[in-house]
Amino acid sequence: MDESPLNHKHIAISTPVVQDWIQKSLEIKLQAEFQEGVPAEDIICSEFYVTQFQDDSYVLWKATNILRINCTLNLTIDKLNTNKLLLDINEGERFITLHKGIHTLTLNNVFSIAIQKQKGGMYKGKCSIQLNYLLPASEIDFSHEPVCHVVKEEIKCTEVTAVNNRKSRSVQIDDKIVTLKNVCILIEGCIEVQLKKQTGTFFSSYLYFDDIVSLWLCLSENSKVECELAHSQCECYVLKKERRRNYSFVAIVSLCLNVMAIEDAVICINGKDLQSRDEL
């Protein structure tokens, strides 16, 4: 019987091997239209049931990315095991007494509405809130250019070409004929955009992007395609449109990716200087 080629001081290891490696640059443009100071209206409806064992206040509504708004609150308390409840406006800024029955309130400069929790209190009801506000762009300081950057940990590459459907072509490299395979890769990621408010504070918004690139790589059917971000750059601008209150946000994302074809392989290494263990 023939001896294994791994005898006589040879060892074998399994390791991923890079079959091909190229750099791919791409530029992605993102654009969005928005308006400044345009009135908007939302209506929120909900039912609630708070037991005696709940420890926290019940939040009916809380603003996100909007400082203060005006609203009309229609609130009905169907069941109540105490004499009264307290409606908490703006996290303790103002309190309104509630009893069982129907309440209609007009509130100004609001960012939070909640029913304050009382020990042992139980109540049940429903509410509708009509919110009247200006679109968030009214808070942006347009004299301050926004800044953006690529969120590196969000970059993801996925081959979308079926392995058995890769196109082939042959090229000559150093007097050798090499077969290349065409792969299409979906590039996904996002950028963080930082905007300045009229108040001088900053807030961040995330914009997601995707694109498909086509590459020719030297790989086999067992290869997998991976990529890593080598370099990135992001630029963004706010452009005033001809129509009043209309703005255009434009972001240009530049990516440089290392795209690799990787396959698992077994490598034999000459281990003549290694001493084998004594067999027991």
Side-chain angles (χ1 to χ4, degrees):
M1 181 181 295
D2 294 336
E3 293 186 355
S4 167
L6 299 183
N7 291 338
H8 306 300
K9 305 298 185 180
H10 284 78
I11 60 174
I13 60 173
S14 177
T15 183
V17 174
V18 178
Q19 293 177 298
D20 200 0
W21 182 353
I22 62 175
Q23 280 197 332
K24 177 65 178 179
S25 299
L26 65 153
E27 185 176 271
I28 301 171
K29 293 183 180 179
L30 306 175
Q31 186 169 348
E33 302 289 331
F34 58 91
Q35 296 177 307
E36 174 191 14
V38 176
E41 180 182 293
D42 286 322
I43 297 179
I44 300 173
C45 300
S46 67
E47 295 183 354
F48 52 85
Y49 175 60
V50 177
T51 68
Q52 302 177 37
F53 306 103
Q54 185 165 322
D55 294 329
D56 301 323
S57 296
Y58 184 84
V59 178
L60 297 174
W61 171 82
K62 190 171 185 178
T64 57
N65 288 334
I66 302 175
L67 287 181
R68 290 172 180 264
I69 67 168
N70 301 326
C71 72
T72 300
L73 171 64
N74 293 301
L75 180 64
T76 301
I77 307 295
D78 294 325
K79 292 184 178 181
L80 179 63
N81 71 338
T82 60
N83 293 328
K84 62 181 181 179
L85 293 173
L86 290 179
L87 190 66
D88 183 351
I89 308 298
N90 295 344
E91 299 178 349
E93 182 178 292
R94 177 187 173 196
F95 292 95
I96 298 174
T97 302
L98 299 176
H99 300 280
K100 185 177 179 181
I102 300 175
H103 304 266
T104 299
L105 303 169
T106 299
L107 304 171
N108 299 317
N109 295 324
V110 179
F111 64 82
S112 174
I113 304 174
I115 298 177
Q116 188 183 58
K117 176 60 180 175
Q118 299 184 67
K119 187 176 181 180
M122 183 279 293
Y123 50 91
K124 180 180 179 181
K126 52 184 176 290
C127 73
S128 67
I129 307 173
Q130 180 177 316
L131 307 172
N132 300 287
Y133 58 94
L134 298 179
L135 292 178
S138 61
E139 300 179 16
I140 300 175
D141 180 1
F142 292 98
S143 66
H144 187 277
E145 286 291 343
V147 295
C148 64
H149 71 273
V150 176
V151 183
K152 296 181 179 180
E153 55 269 22
E154 291 291 330
I155 297 294
K156 185 171 64 173
C157 302
T158 307
E159 183 183 357
V160 294
T161 311
V163 173
N164 56 2
N165 198 32
R166 294 170 176 165
K167 297 179 181 179
S168 302
R169 76 176 182 186
S170 298
V171 296
Q172 184 172 334
I173 302 176
D174 297 333
D175 298 328
K176 293 182 179 180
I177 302 300
V178 178
T179 299
L180 301 178
K181 297 284 187 177
N182 180 248
V183 295
C184 292
I185 302 172
L186 173 64
I187 311 296
E188 299 174 281
C190 76
I191 61 174
E192 180 183 6
V193 181
Q194 191 176 65
L195 299 166
K196 186 178 181 180
K197 294 184 179 182
Q198 297 285 358
T199 58
T201 61
F202 289 85
F203 71 94
S204 295
S205 180
Y206 292 86
L207 297 178
Y208 291 83
F209 62 83
D210 56 65
D211 198 4
I212 291 181
V213 297
S214 177
L215 302 168
W216 291 91
L217 291 170
C218 180
L219 44 70
S220 68
E221 291 186 355
N222 297 322
S223 303
K224 58 183 178 179
V225 180
E226 296 182 359
C227 67
E228 60 181 23
L229 184 64
H231 177 72
S232 66
Q233 184 176 345
C234 181
E235 301 177 22
C236 58
Y237 308 92
V238 173
L239 309 174
K240 177 74 174 177
K241 307 291 282 188
E242 291 183 1
R243 290 179 294 174
R244 186 183 178 188
R245 293 179 171 179
N246 284 51
Y247 292 82
S248 179
F249 172 83
V250 178
I252 303 173
V253 182
S254 300
L255 302 175
C256 181
L257 299 170
N258 292 324
V259 184
M260 297 162 284
I262 298 176
E263 183 175 356
D264 291 332
V266 176
I267 300 176
C268 296
I269 300 176
N270 187 349
K272 63 181 180 179
D273 296 327
L274 299 178
Q275 298 295 324
S276 60
R277 293 175 299 199
D278 293 334
E279 295 186 1
L280 297 178

